[in-house]
Amino acid sequence: LMGYCLAVFQSMAFLKRHVEVTRVDPDQDHLWAARGYLPGDGPFLMAAGVGAASVSALVFALYLHDRTASLPWSVLAALWVVWAGVLASLLRMWLLAARRTMSFDPVMFALQDRPTLVTAVVALVVLAGSSIFRAA
């Protein structure tokens, strides 16, 4: 869980910086020099962020693969659906950043984005259902 969370939040941190680098004019922003980024850093930040999102998906998938013997099949199948939804949500945010339609704050975007909210609700239902299913 720790490795997954670190990779997800690292991806979102890169996303925030990528949006700033690609949309903020260095001549207009007095804090630009203090942040340590240059206008040409956008492609690197995108590569690092998509890589971190991919690592988070890999960590999640390895966890599910490790739990194959201990989780009931229905719970495991539902968690793979959650895995696909989380990966799709992260990659969708990066796609919107590449199109320059992402807002400056990826957390606020995730809290207002309908597909991301649907993924979160499905994940909560799966977690609640798996705890009920295990208790029964």
Side-chain angles (χ1 to χ4, degrees):
L1 181 63
M2 182 68 103
Y4 170 75
C5 288
L6 285 172
V8 165
F9 289 115
Q10 184 67 49
S11 177
M12 293 184 93
F14 281 130
L15 180 61
K16 183 174 176 68
R17 294 298 169 238
H18 172 75
V19 169
E20 284 180 355
V21 165
T22 56
R23 291 177 61 191
V24 173
D25 184 11
D27 297 329
Q28 301 292 331
D29 190 358
H30 67 283
L31 296 175
W32 185 266
R35 291 185 181 126
Y37 293 99
L38 299 174
D41 290 344
F44 170 78
L45 291 168
M46 178 172 274
V50 171
S54 300
V55 167
S56 73
L58 177 65
V59 169
F60 196 145
L62 289 173
Y63 172 78
L64 291 178
H65 180 70
D66 186 48
R67 298 286 180 226
T68 300
S70 63
L71 289 175
W73 184 86
S74 59
V75 172
L76 196 62
L79 286 174
W80 278 110
V81 170
V82 170
W83 172 83
V86 168
L87 180 60
S89 292
L90 286 171
L91 293 179
R92 182 172 177 275
M93 285 186 200
W94 278 104
L95 177 64
L96 293 175
R99 293 177 179 168
R100 297 181 185 219
T101 58
M102 169 64 69
S103 65
F104 277 98
D105 189 359
V107 174
M108 289 306 296
F109 175 82
L111 292 174
Q112 297 170 354
D113 184 48
R114 186 172 301 242
T116 304
L117 290 175
V118 168
T119 299
V121 168
V122 168
L124 289 174
V125 167
V126 166
L127 291 175
S130 66
S131 64
I132 292 169
F133 189 75
R134 280 188 149 237

